[in-house]
Amino acid sequence: MDQPEISIRNLNLSFEKQQILKNINVDIPRHKITVIMGPSGCGKTTLMRCMNRLTDLNTQAKVSGNIFIGDRDILNTNDDITEIRKMMGLLAQRPYPLPMNIFNNVAYGLRISGRKKKRFLEKRVEHYLRQVNLWEEVKDRLRDPAAVLSIGQQQRLCLARGLAVDPRIILADEPTSALDPISSQLIEEKFAELKSSYTIVMVTHILRQARRIADHVVFMYMGEVIEQGPANEFFENPQMEMTKSYLKGLFY
Amino acid sequence: MNRRQAEEYFFRGLMFISSTFIIMVLCHIIYSILSAGLPHLNWDMISKVPEGGYYFGKGGGILNAIIGSLYVAVGATSLALAIGLPVALFMNIHLTKWKKIVNGIRFLMDLLCGIPSIVYGAFGFTLMIFFGLRTSLLAGIITVTVFIVPIMIRAIDEVLMTIPRGLFESALSLGSTKSEISYRVFFKQSIAGIITAILLSFGRAIGDAASVLLTTGYTDYIPTSLNQPTATLPLAIFFQLSSPILEVRQRAYASAVILIAIILFISLLARILTYSYKKNKINY
């Protein structure tokens, strides 16, 4: 494997007395879709939240270990945290559009990083909306509030908004769980296109979705990584007994 | 009819009776004020300051109290907003990590909301003496501000608490600082609620008599500076109502009508403002 985009080393996280993540070691390859899979409550979302340091919001969570992006340990650094978070776009379980119009939702990230020229903003907003196939649907109502969009459109708007801050990595936490099948398919197709320029990490508990789009799989159970590897090896020839029974649908 | 259905009818009936009862009581209060006050309301009441002997039934009006009350209420509400909005945003954005501290502040604020306003009046009075202030518009504004700040903070806080965590986290992962989230995201999402909070505080500020009783003094003139004493509507109503002369007592009701009309006007204004500002709000 080439130099991985994200390397997680000996990551432990405990919340009060309960240990949520146990000695996690994971490599996430560059410009591929990595799917973190496992039953509910296995710690997959928590693992993702460690990557963009949303775990900071919780004082009771004790985190130790290292997360390297390139050579930089983003877990133990005093660098500006907003800059670390900007490297990673987040797509949440359900869309959380900002309370402003469609245009400003995408322009938000550009504006807070100091890009305020109107012409520039118009060009970039169009670019990102086209990138998520939303431009044709909204070009005549850019000044309407984001709340008027359907939930599937809102999720694509959130993706566009995330791309607009020019991240290297896209973190997606069950991004299709609130969407209808057609909207879900649009998101999946988008991910397949975007992986040529972004590293995508996606959490899912839908086995079929993982099979459809994963290039690399991390399988977790009870806070531990059971198995990880390229998708075809993982699905065709799993090494661990637990993985085999999970893939057979014996537990979820 | 089985037991569950009977239960349903019983509780629905109970709710209906209590709703009707409370609406009837409110209507009766408004009706008795209007019927006692409207016939005695005239243009002189709202356009003139009291002439000599006004409190014995001679000519004049209560313009001094109307203007005085507006000065006190607008001044105090603006100050309370300037203090309350940052505090509420700070509690909900910067202090999210420290839930216990935030809950402690909330408890304290609820406690302060429950203290009778006469205590604030007395507190304001001791402050005045300490700083060597006289009864004045300024002292009234400061006292009323102290009195309504907890109400303002809790009202805004309740609105901010309804903002989902996902929106906060989404805004963080776009690389926003917490102050950017405060004024670009949370403020916009909760603007309708903030207007309601302003309205609530304004209503308390303009309607309260006890907190201004010891601090603003009373005068027949419209104050022209912050150092002058001022009349207020609740006190005007109080003084007129305690008069032995019937005509003056009737004017007290007319003054109450004016007070209600001001609050009604502010409420309507706030509703209209809210309507045009909340179009960008996301309903989760």
Side-chain angles (χ1 to χ4, degrees), chain B residues 173-193:
Chain B
S173 37
L174 289 171
S176 328
T177 61
K178 284 180 177 169
S179 10
E180 280 160 353
I181 294 179
S182 304
Y183 64 85
R184 283 174 191 263
V185 182
F186 272 43
F187 178 70
K188 281 189 180 149
Q189 172 73 4
S190 56
I191 197 151

Side-chain angles (χ1 to χ4, degrees), chain B residues 111-177:
Chain B
L111 212 64
L112 290 175
C113 289
I115 293 176
S117 54
I118 187 73
V119 177
Y120 285 101
F123 173 70
F125 187 65
T126 53
L127 268 189
M128 270 164 54
I129 292 170
F130 183 77
F131 287 110
L133 276 172
R134 293 189 149 173
T135 54
S136 60
L137 183 56
L138 181 65
I141 289 176
I142 292 172
T143 310
V144 176
T145 304
V146 175
F147 164 54
I148 62 173
V149 145
I151 301 167
M152 182 77 91
I153 292 174
R154 283 295 281 135
I156 299 176
D157 179 44
E158 284 294 335
V159 184
L160 295 180
M161 275 161 74
T162 63
I163 295 179
R165 221 175 149 66
L167 183 62
F168 182 50
E169 288 174 359
S170 297
L172 276 182
S173 37
L174 289 171
S176 328
T177 61

Side-chain angles (χ1 to χ4, degrees), chain A residues 49 52 54 56-59 82 85-86 88 90 92 94-101 108-109 111-112 116 145-147 161-162 165, chain B residues 96-99 164-178 180-181 184-186 188-189 279-284:
Chain A
R49 291 164 63 88
N52 69 350
L54 284 179
D56 287 17
L57 300 178
N58 204 324
T59 36
T82 60
R85 289 199 180 117
K86 247 194 213 161
M88 289 167 263
L90 176 77
R94 46 150 304 166
Y96 289 103
L98 301 168
M100 45 189 85
N101 65 37
Y108 178 89
R111 285 215 178 97
I112 59 172
K116 285 177 181 154
R161 170 184 81 180
V165 296
Chain B
T96 41
K97 270 191 197 175
W98 296 279
K99 282 214 182 69
R165 221 175 149 66
L167 183 62
F168 182 50
E169 288 174 359
S170 297
L172 276 182
S173 37
L174 289 171
S176 328
T177 61
K178 284 180 177 169
E180 280 160 353
I181 294 179
R184 283 174 191 263
V185 182
F186 272 43
K188 281 189 180 149
Q189 172 73 4
K279 69 176 201 302
N280 276 327
K281 182 174 185 265
I282 314 280
N283 290 305
Y284 293 102

Side-chain angles (χ1 to χ4, degrees), chain A residues 85-231:
Chain A
R85 289 199 180 117
K86 247 194 213 161
M87 294 195 297
M88 289 167 263
L90 176 77
L91 209 54
Q93 283 195 17
R94 46 150 304 166
Y96 289 103
L98 301 168
M100 45 189 85
N101 65 37
I102 296 168
F103 181 89
N104 286 340
N105 255 279
V106 184
Y108 178 89
L110 298 163
R111 285 215 178 97
I112 59 172
S113 35
R115 317 295 295 268
K116 285 177 181 154
K117 287 219 178 69
K118 201 165 169 250
R119 285 283 306 279
F120 172 82
L121 286 177
E122 277 167 4
K123 261 166 63 183
R124 296 315 285 168
V125 168
E126 180 177 342
H127 169 80
Y128 290 114
L129 285 174
R130 277 187 195 284
Q131 208 172 6
V132 299
N133 298 348
L134 198 59
W135 176 252
E136 292 300 324
E137 292 160 57
V138 302
K139 64 179 177 191
D140 301 321
R141 45 177 181 156
L142 288 172
R143 301 289 163 186
D144 282 4
V148 302
L149 298 176
S150 77
I151 198 157
Q153 290 171 323
Q154 285 183 11
Q155 192 66 309
R156 276 181 284 149
L157 180 70
C158 289
L159 182 58
R161 170 184 81 180
L163 295 178
V165 296
D166 199 20
R168 291 163 62 179
I169 302 159
I170 296 170
L171 303 177
D173 182 6
E174 300 186 27
T176 62
S177 65
L179 306 186
D180 61 276
I182 294 169
S183 304
S184 306
Q185 201 188 344
L186 279 170
I187 295 277
E188 282 179 26
E189 283 167 8
K190 218 63 265 180
F191 277 4
E193 283 171 37
L194 288 172
K195 71 177 177 186
S196 59
S197 23
Y198 300 92
T199 300
I200 298 175
V201 185
M202 184 166 114
V203 163
T204 187
H205 61 255
I206 311 168
L207 197 54
R208 275 185 294 175
Q209 188 176 45
R211 277 186 198 272
R212 276 198 299 271
I213 66 170
D215 298 314
H216 195 85
V217 181
V218 177
F219 174 59
M220 289 179 71
Y221 184 70
M222 300 283 278
E224 284 175 88
V225 172
I226 306 296
E227 189 166 346
Q228 56 176 315

